[in-house]
Each structure stands twice: as structure tokens, then as C-alpha cells.
Amino acid sequence: DIQMTQSPSSLSASVGDRVTITCRASQSIGINVNWYQQKPGKAPKLLIFAASTLYSGVPSRFSGSGSGTDFTLTVSSLQPEDFAIYYCQQSYNIFRTFGQGTKLEVK
Amino acid sequence: EVQLVESGGGLMQPGGSLTLSCAASGVTVSRFYMNWIRQSPGQGLEWVSVIYSGGDTYYADSVKGRFTISRDDSKNILYLQMNSLRADDTAVYYCTRQYSYGSFDQWGQGTLVTVSS
């Protein structure tokens, strides 16, 4: 299995801050990484696919980058509704795997 | 508007069987790759299974041989038959549509399966 390791596991920030979450794959996976946001009691929502393509309707303050083994999700200016858990996911092979999640909390 | 509505979850004893359903509207399940993804309480996400539009199926090692994914094209419903349930199968099970680059763009609300004696 391809392991996806996110860092940090949790992050405290304030409204207006710029934050970056990192995801590292256990092998090179091209740009086959997707990012999700999950709020308590809700299903995850797709933010970014193919490492850097913004999904329809997702605010432009979200951006993704990376290729190979290292990927990042950046929120340029945090809004109150952005405090949630974020997951990366690899789609390099059939057996999709997710990172363990990064909890973004209010400082 | 795409809607995926899961049902069938509940409290089961170890070793038991259960079938989850995912009723789809606004999307034809036979035209997409449809997946089941689960999330144990307070834990992360685990991909479980996929059924391709052509009918091929694949499973995570943790469920292979115990779970079966299928669909009813006439009813537009996705299923997950779960046998030999174990405590570590306890999770919210989500039905999802696969999108570009293997992402999942449509999710149901999830159905909770609890396996406990």
C-alpha cells in the first residue's frame, strides 16, 4: 500500500492567517493526490484534485501544489468556516489511501 | 443535483452479515466508478471497495473475501454486502462517486455500522 503521511496532525491558527498542510507519499505518485475538508458529523468534501486543480465551487483561497512524493494544501487567508479536518488521498493505484488528517483549530 | 443516500446500517454481532444500500439520484451509478469508503469513530478514512462502470470490482485487503460490492442498474442502487463482520468493521460507511484523477466528488451522508457483542 502507498502510505500518505500528513503534517502537522493539528494546527492552531487565526482568521486571516495563511496555513499550509503537507502530505508525503511513501513512493512517487505523480500528481495523483486529492484533498478533502471534513467538518464534524459531515461527509468529506472534495477541495482539490490532481494535486493542484480546484474543484468546482471551492473558494480560490484554497490551493494545492506538488508532485512525486511531496504535496501541500495552502489556505491563503483563513475564514471562520475553514476550521475543519483536512485529508489528502492518493489515487496512483486502485487501492486508494488517505492521510491521517490534519485538524485545523482556532488559536 | 446529485444525491447519494445510504441505508442499512445498524448494530450487529461479530460474525454477522449486513447489506448496505446507496440510492442514487441525479447520477446513474452504472456510468461511473462507485466506491464505498468508511470511517471508524474518531478516526481517518479508509477506502473499502470500488465497482467500475464495466462491472469490475476491487477490495481493500481488510475486507477482501468478506465484503461484496454490487449494483442494481434498474433501481440505480449501489450495495455493499458485508459478511463475517468483525469489531474493526465498526465505522460510518459512505457511498461515493469517483471523479477525475480518482478523487471522490459526491458523498452520501453515511450509515453507521456497529459490530459489538
Side-chain angles (χ1 to χ4, degrees):
Chain A
D1 285 1
I2 298 173
Q3 307 301 318
M4 303 295 285
T5 304
Q6 286 182 237
S7 61
S9 296
S10 64
L11 177 58
S12 296
S14 301
V15 172
D17 285 354
R18 178 185 180 91
V19 298
T20 297
I21 298 168
T22 297
C23 185
R24 176 163 288 175
S26 59
Q27 67 180 71
S28 182
I29 57 172
I31 60 167
N32 294 284
V33 163
N34 311 300
W35 290 93
Y36 302 85
Q37 176 194 69
Q38 186 177 32
K39 295 183 178 179
K42 300 293 188 182
K45 290 185 176 180
L46 177 63
L47 297 175
I48 287 169
F49 63 95
S52 62
T53 303
L54 206 63
Y55 184 62
S56 175
V58 175
S60 59
R61 62 181 180 272
F62 291 92
S63 64
S65 66
S67 66
T69 59
D70 294 320
F71 303 87
T72 59
L73 172 71
T74 298
V75 187
S76 60
S77 179
L78 276 174
Q79 298 303 299
E81 61 268 30
D82 299 337
F83 293 95
I85 299 175
Y86 293 85
Y87 294 95
C88 60
Q89 172 240 328
Q90 66 80 17
S91 52
Y92 182 76
N93 65 21
I94 293 170
F95 307 100
R96 317 306 195 191
T97 48
F98 293 82
Q100 81 280 14
T102 295
K103 188 174 185 179
L104 181 53
E105 301 175 299
V106 178
K107 183 183 285 185
Chain B
E1 180 190 7
V2 174
Q3 276 201 317
L4 301 171
V5 180
E6 301 94 337
S7 61
L11 175 61
M12 300 299 299
Q13 292 203 336
S17 297
L18 193 64
T19 298
L20 305 183
S21 300
C22 171
S25 59
V27 59
T28 302
V29 295
S30 62
R31 294 184 181 176
F32 291 89
Y33 295 2
M34 299 297 294
N35 294 251
W36 288 96
I37 293 169
R38 67 185 182 184
Q39 186 170 33
S40 301
Q43 301 300 312
L45 298 159
E46 180 185 17
W47 174 81
V48 173
S49 181
V50 61
I51 182 166
Y52 286 177
S53 50
D56 288 349
T57 60
Y58 298 90
Y59 301 90
D61 286 345
S62 58
V63 307
K64 194 171 185 178
R66 300 187 299 122
F67 289 11
T68 302
I69 190 172
S70 63
R71 67 181 189 234
D72 185 326
D73 294 349
S74 66
K75 296 181 179 178
N76 207 30
I77 295 177
L78 180 72
Y79 298 101
L80 184 68
Q81 182 179 346
M82 310 164 67
N83 298 329
S84 303
L85 284 164
R86 309 185 309 216
D88 61 1
D89 294 321
T90 295
V92 173
Y93 285 75
Y94 294 103
C95 163
T96 69
R97 182 180 77 170
Q98 190 162 316
Y99 182 62
S100 184
Y101 276 81
S103 63
F104 306 110
D105 73 325
Q106 301 294 333
W107 298 63
Q109 85 288 353
T111 187
L112 176 62
V113 174
T114 303
V115 184
S116 175
S117 55

